Amino acid sequence: MPVTLISALDPFCRQAACGTLRSLRPDAVTVLHDLLENGTVLRTVFRGGRLVERAETPLEHGCLSCTVRLDVVPTVRRLLGDAADVVLGLPPSVPAGTVVEAFRRGTGPVPHIASVILACSPASLEDQLWDIHTLFESGYSPTPEDDRRPGEFLVGELAYCDTLHCSDPAFAPAASDAHLRGTLLAAEIAPHAAVVIPGETGMPGHFDHSEALARSRPGSVRIPAASSNKPFRTSVLRAARPLHPGRFRLALAELAEGNCWLRGRLWLASSPASRIALRGAGPRIWLEDTGAWLADTLPTGAPHVALGSDAALDWHDEYGDRGTVLAVTDDDVDAEHGDRGTVLAVTGDDVDAEHGARLLRRCELTGAEMARVPAPLPDPFGLPAAT
């Protein structure tokens, strides 16, 4: 039995996506879950557009993860075999990846995930990416402890999903230029996704779990092969030398200024043995130590091409010493260094790629700095010493 997941920030967008799928698959069972403010899960089940089940389940710990584990997953497993097709509308702000992994980790049958759809309002997308409030403060989550920002949720879902359902609320139709601008931004952020527009385009795409994980991995950089989404564009910035943490900290705000989405991986002189993932959505940027570089963990001569497209694309094949590279001279500054290096992708409105490249070059250690630094530089980001 195939299951189609629908994630959204806004319940009205989720409702519109469910309506589109019902018109395409009239025999499907539609399951909607909502977490109420008192920690109660509201579950409604429809068959052929007719309500067949409505239940409220109080949770001892009313949070989104418990909603998934204790109600969403058991409900779908209960319906396995009773329906030819299930459309699962997730509670607003629940990541689809959380549900997919809950199915895969738990006991019992694992349903076939046919498609993962992000339902969004194109006219609201840019404002939501730049929203400075938490999901709870903006009314997207009933959990006060949910301190994620709307942009953080959206870029994660845009990377993970295989389909975008684009529809603005019927009660507040957007201007055509605002709708078009948002659609172009969504296409620039998620070039891999099929686009469903009610009344204009048809069926959703197909979900590939391994591809979704690869796109969503912290530090991964995926960009459109060719973009026609003006005024939005994506530029990739690279640095072969480690970055001076102090200079990079000062440059980071300018790199991100005015850009909707910033992501990639850093080679910081303060943590030279660590692959630091950088992610930013709208006004918020966060860094994460994701562990050692592959060059520090692979045996000498081991193939790297099968270990991920990011490492394969940026690998320097003939690097010999797999120890941490920090102190080198001008003569060997371009020495091979495996997958180590900085790769950043910036998506925004008329991105100035040349300015970003200049900023990143100023952050690189000079040959003299690399030759004289005997130990990692002080860390202004407060990253943990180990992951």
Side-chain angles (χ1 to χ4, degrees):
M1 177 188 71
V3 176
T4 299
L5 301 185
I6 300 176
S7 69
L9 268 183
D10 190 324
F12 295 106
C13 293
R14 183 189 66 175
Q15 180 180 359
C18 288
T20 297
L21 287 180
R22 187 173 65 186
S23 66
L24 297 172
R25 302 168 180 170
D27 295 329
V29 172
T30 301
V31 184
L32 302 179
H33 284 87
D34 291 281
L35 179 62
L36 308 181
E37 291 185 0
N38 60 0
T40 298
V41 181
L42 172 63
R43 180 179 68 253
T44 50
V45 181
F46 300 83
R47 288 180 183 266
R50 183 172 59 89
L51 178 66
V52 297
E53 181 181 329
R54 187 183 187 279
E56 295 185 9
T57 305
L59 299 178
E60 182 176 351
H61 182 238
C63 66
L64 294 173
S65 60
C66 288
T67 302
V68 170
R69 182 170 56 88
L70 300 177
D71 206 304
V72 173
V73 170
T75 298
V76 173
R77 287 203 168 120
R78 172 167 58 86
L79 293 170
L80 289 175
D82 293 338
D85 203 349
V86 171
V87 175
L88 176 59
L90 302 179
S93 76
V94 168
T98 299
V99 180
V100 173
E101 295 308 316
F103 280 128
R104 296 175 68 87
R105 288 195 307 266
T107 58
V110 178
H112 166 58
I113 307 298
S115 182
V116 172
I117 301 175
L118 172 63
C120 67
S121 165
S124 303
L125 178 60
E126 196 167 3
D127 288 339
Q128 290 169 336
L129 287 175
W130 286 101
D131 191 344
I132 64 173
H133 303 96
T134 68
L135 289 177
F136 174 75
E137 292 168 343
S138 293
Y140 296 121
S141 170
T143 308
E145 297 80 15
D146 195 340
D147 61 356
R148 295 173 297 160
R149 269 50 173 188
E152 181 180 347
F153 170 82
L154 284 170
V155 296
E157 292 303 280
L158 284 163
Y160 192 83
C161 74
D162 58 75
T163 303
L164 292 172
H165 185 277
C166 297
S167 66
D168 298 308
F171 62 85
S176 58
D177 56 344
H179 181 92
L180 175 61
R181 180 178 173 88
T183 303
L184 292 171
L185 175 57
E188 186 67 22
I189 296 177
H192 55 275
V195 177
V196 173
I197 300 175
E200 297 181 23
T201 57
M203 298 295 284
H206 301 282
F207 181 67
D208 185 314
H209 182 251
S210 60
E211 275 296 308
L213 288 181
R215 291 193 301 264
S216 306
R217 183 190 180 208
S220 177
V221 171
R222 301 293 179 94
I223 63 172
S227 176
S228 57
N229 302 314
K230 290 183 179 180
F232 298 103
R233 59 175 295 196
T234 299
S235 293
V236 177
L237 312 175
R238 301 176 187 273
R241 297 176 176 181
L243 304 182
H244 188 286
R247 294 200 294 270
F248 181 70
R249 181 176 180 272
L250 294 175
L252 185 53
E254 195 170 349
L255 276 171
E257 185 177 8
N259 296 313
C260 299
W261 189 27
L262 179 66
R263 70 278 189 198
R265 50 196 179 274
L266 306 173
W267 191 15
L268 289 176
S270 53
S271 307
S274 297
R275 178 184 181 273
I276 306 299
L278 181 147
R279 290 182 282 181
R284 195 181 199 198
I285 298 172
W286 59 103
L287 281 73
E288 176 185 355
D289 185 341
T290 61
W293 297 97
L294 284 176
D296 287 326
T297 60
L298 291 178
T300 302
H304 60 273
V305 293
L307 297 179
S309 59
D310 292 310
L313 287 171
D314 292 292
W315 193 277
H316 292 269
D317 240 343
E318 297 180 0
Y319 179 69
D321 181 4
R322 294 185 181 272
T324 295
V325 175
L326 186 58
V328 297
T329 67
D330 281 327
D331 292 335
D332 59 6
V333 71
D334 293 323
E336 307 295 350
H337 45 258
D339 60 326
R340 303 182 191 90
T342 293
V343 182
L344 296 177
V346 184
T347 298
D349 187 335
D350 292 326
V351 173
D352 189 340
E354 293 183 1
H355 179 62
R358 286 195 299 271
L359 283 173
L360 203 58
R361 282 197 299 271
R362 293 172 193 163
C363 298
E364 289 182 295
L365 294 185
T366 65
E369 286 174 326
M370 295 177 75
R372 70 171 178 257
V373 174
L377 294 169
D379 174 22
F381 298 105
L383 291 165
T387 300

